[in-house]
């Protein structure tokens, strides 16, 4: 059907002009108001469907310029419909790529503000890219009434960063494996996560960071593969339908909110990994889902040749984040997830793209960054930046904003290189342990500004980091070209699986070394799903298209590596109960360091070796108001080293006790402080490639 065809009314009531605000589909007692932005369209049509699998629209409502357009907003009020109504738009206008215009009235478009998305059984990404009408196989938006959900008094938790330990996980991958024990109908879903809350509580983490849950295009992957990670959004407001166990049109909304409510009741925060840097529409030959077909030159950053897309994301396009319309879209999306979905925080994928202007140039005070930071609805919400992009803009330590935390890529790289035995790493690892004052000290911020991690979804798992020298990504279908070649990994003597007992013991020690440095360092620690039980991806460092056992959490590993799980539990318990930053008074990083007594040593007291060929370091820390002294000895050398110990007695401190020694078999590798054996000698031998931590407790107890 084309403009002017089909009925102009629903039931017995005529369609009225409606209003330009609010954007999206808004339910009222008499019907639904629709509003969408398109500056250069000559005509916009609103299409209503009887269901997600409907091949044809039940109604087509042309929105004429005189009655249904205010400024650049097209709107209509449709009576006698409500929540659950499927809909979409068509936008007419010139198809002139050289001018940045890509209108295609044969393509069904999602509502940029749609709160739910329906995916037909015959959905086709190709049909959204190729010429012709794709209505029968296109995703559709679904009207939702957010006020109908009962939150039962739930609110975001607002846990301080100083009490936060983050656990990054994939919604589907966490419970999809047959070994998960989750009921089959809920495996791989938001409801499945709820069943695993006791595990997360027992581990001791305080927040989950979910890989993208915005509705994404699962077909945005190489032929024969599915997009597993979800960094391919088509909607910034709708929870991904594939993660819901419910089949009703609005089931994902309620199931997601049920999940958040259950996490909050357990004292766990929920962060979302959000993608505001690109969309699933890809480059010039990509599909038309939404933004491209409504106002291509507004939503995307284009090259001087307007037919080409700037690609700072490495995925084909870049959202024009500092355009006023896109800024509003991003902020409205964040407010939606906080106000209506009750999430506690966000990790911004490739956040440095938000610091680029409409020409792609970095700007010193990006409006969108300050819009987000200063929004009163978002006040108190945790904001975490991945402070780089895919085009070389690297802002770790310099990301704009007063309240943003940063993924500290330098922590990952420097700790990996030190533990591996790299040259010239001692100075760097010392800075990382202290919260990276070389990166953040100038800002006079809280010590937890640095989000410390040694692994994340992107790259090797912890097990693979000590088991592979090279990536093994052939299963991705890209001839091993994808994924980084710079992993700072070491296989400990054999590539991949081995039966060599010495290599297996060394790998076990290296895993504990990395985890120990992560969880005792100043900053906010982040663990990756399954690292606590040595989950492997078989050497694949880019499994974005692996919805398979390569990526899923194999729960049989929990029993196989119960010793490591216990080790991580004990480290987190130290982190959250005693704390590296344990003082009640909030301190900036500079204040913390200036008020603490930190003595650096080598194998001899007071004589640290900061040289290029050094592989060892020791330190003694006594912080303000703390009830213990900590003495750490790091030996990344390939032979044992004997370290001199400082006197343990200071005031009422007791003798040195061995808390952690990663060379020892479980359960001696980490022990409760009150049961830790005393060190009677004035020195301590640290085995090759080992981390040892001693503690002296004031008053003799904790």
């Amino acid at each position: 059907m084309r403009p002017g065809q089909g009925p102009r009314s629903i039931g017995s009531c005529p369609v009225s002009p409606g209003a330009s605000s609010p954007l999206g589909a808004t339910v009222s007692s008499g019907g639904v108001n629709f509003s969408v932005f398109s500056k250069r369209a000559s005509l916009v049509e609103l299409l209503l469907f009887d269901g997600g699998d409907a091949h044809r629209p039940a109604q087509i409502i042309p929105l004429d310029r005189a009655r249904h357009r205010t400024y650049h907003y097209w709107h209509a009020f449709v009576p006698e419909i409500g929540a659950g109504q499927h809909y979409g738009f068509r936008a007419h206008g010139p198809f002139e790529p050289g001018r940045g215009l890509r209108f295609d009235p044969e393509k069904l478009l999602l509502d940029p503000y749609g709160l739910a998305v329906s995916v037909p059984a015959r959905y086709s990404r190709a049909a959204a890219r190729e010429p012709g009408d794709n209505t029968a196989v296109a995703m559709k938006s679904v009207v939702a009434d957010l006020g109908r959900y009962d939150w039962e008094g739930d609110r975001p938790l607002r846990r301080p960063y100083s009490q936060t330990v983050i656990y990054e996980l994939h919604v589907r991958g966490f419970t999809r494996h047959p070994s998960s024990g989750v009921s089959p109908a809920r495996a791989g879903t938001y409801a499945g996560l709820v069943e695993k809350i006791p595990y997360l509580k027992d581990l001791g983490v305080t927040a989950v960071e979910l890989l993208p849950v915005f509705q994404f295009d699962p077909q945005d992957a190489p032929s024969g593969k599915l997009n597993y990670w979800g960094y391919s959004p088509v909607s910034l407001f709708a929870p991904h339908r594939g993660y819901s166990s419910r089949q009703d049109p609005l089931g994902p909304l309620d199931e997601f909110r049920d999940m958040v409510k259950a996490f909050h009741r357990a004292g766990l925060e929920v962060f979302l990994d959000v993608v505001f840097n690109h969309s699933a529409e890809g480059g010039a030959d990509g599909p038309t889902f939404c933004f491209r077909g409504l106002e291509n030159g507004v939503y995307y950053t284009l090259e001087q040749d307007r037919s080409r897309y700037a690609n700072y994301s490495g995925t084909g396009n870049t959202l024009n984040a500092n355009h006023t319309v896109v800024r509003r879209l991003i902020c409205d999306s964040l407010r939606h997830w906080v106000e209506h979905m009750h999430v506690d925080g966000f990790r911004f994928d490739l956040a440095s793209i938000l610091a680029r202007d409409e020409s792609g140039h970095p700007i010193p005070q990006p409006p969108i960054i300050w819009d987000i930071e200063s929004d009163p609805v978002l006040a108190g919400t945790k904001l975490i930046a991945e402070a780089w992009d895919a085009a070389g803009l690297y802002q770790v330590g310099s990301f704009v904003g007063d309240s943003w935390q940063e993924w500290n890529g330098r922590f990952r790289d420097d700790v990996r290189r030190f533990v591996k035995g790299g040259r010239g790493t001692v100075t760097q690892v010392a800075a990382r342990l202290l919260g990276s004052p070389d990166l953040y000290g100038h800002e006079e911020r809280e010590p937890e500004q640095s989000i410390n991690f040694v692994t994340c979804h992107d790259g090797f798992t912890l097990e693979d980091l000590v088991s592979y020298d090279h990536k093994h990504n052939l299963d991705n279908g890209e001839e091993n070209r994808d994924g980084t070649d710079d992993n700072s990994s070491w296989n400990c003597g054999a590539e991949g699986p081995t039966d060599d007992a010495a290599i297996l013991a060394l790998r076990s020690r290296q895993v504990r070394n990395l985890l120990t440095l992560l969880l005792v360092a100043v900053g906010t620690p982040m663990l990756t799903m399954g690292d606590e039980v040595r989950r492997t991806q078989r050497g694949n460092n880019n499994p974005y298209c692996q919805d398979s056992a390569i990526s899923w959490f194999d729960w049989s590993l929990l029993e196989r590596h119960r010793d490591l799980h216990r080790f991580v539990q004990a480290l987190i318990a130290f982190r959250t109960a005693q704390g590296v930053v344990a003082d009640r008074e909030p301190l900036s990083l500079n204040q913390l360091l200036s008020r603490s007594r930190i003595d650096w040593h080598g194998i001899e007291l007071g004589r640290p070796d900061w040289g290029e060929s050094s592989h060892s370091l020791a330190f003694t820390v006594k912080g303000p108001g703390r009830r213990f002294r900590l003495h750490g000895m790091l030996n990344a050398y390939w032979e044992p080293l004997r370290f001199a110990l400082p006197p343990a007695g200071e005031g009422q401190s007791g003798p040195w006790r061995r808390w952690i020694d990663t060379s020892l078999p479980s359960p001696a590798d980490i022990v409760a402080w009150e049961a830790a054996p005393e060190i009677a000698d004035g020195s301590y031998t640290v085995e090759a490639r080992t981390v040892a931590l001693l503690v002296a407790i004031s008053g003799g107890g904790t």
Side-chain angles (χ1 to χ4, degrees), residues 92-166:
H92 297 250
F95 184 82
E96 299 178 11
R99 296 176 54 207
L101 304 174
R102 292 182 178 268
F103 292 101
D104 185 349
E106 292 190 306
K107 295 295 179 279
L108 184 68
L109 305 177
L110 291 167
D111 181 355
Y113 279 73
L115 302 177
V117 172
S118 178
V119 183
R122 296 176 58 243
Y123 163 69
S124 171
R125 177 181 175 87
R129 185 177 61 246
E130 299 165 352
D133 189 333
N134 75 325
T135 303
V137 293
M139 290 181 273
K140 302 169 180 67
S141 297
V142 184
V143 176
D145 183 358
L146 295 171
R148 297 166 67 177
Y149 184 79
D150 183 5
W151 276 105
E152 302 178 277
D154 178 80
R155 291 289 185 274
L157 297 181
R158 302 287 191 259
R159 182 189 296 275
Y161 271 112
S162 60
Q163 301 172 14
T164 298
V165 178
I166 303 170

Side-chain angles (χ1 to χ4, degrees), residues 465-486:
L465 190 65
V466 301
S467 303
Y468 294 90
D469 281 354
H470 311 287
K471 67 185 182 184
H472 296 264
N473 296 359
L474 287 173
D475 287 335
N476 294 353
E478 299 180 46
E479 298 181 352
N480 213 40
R481 293 189 302 266
D482 63 305
T484 182
D485 294 316
D486 183 13

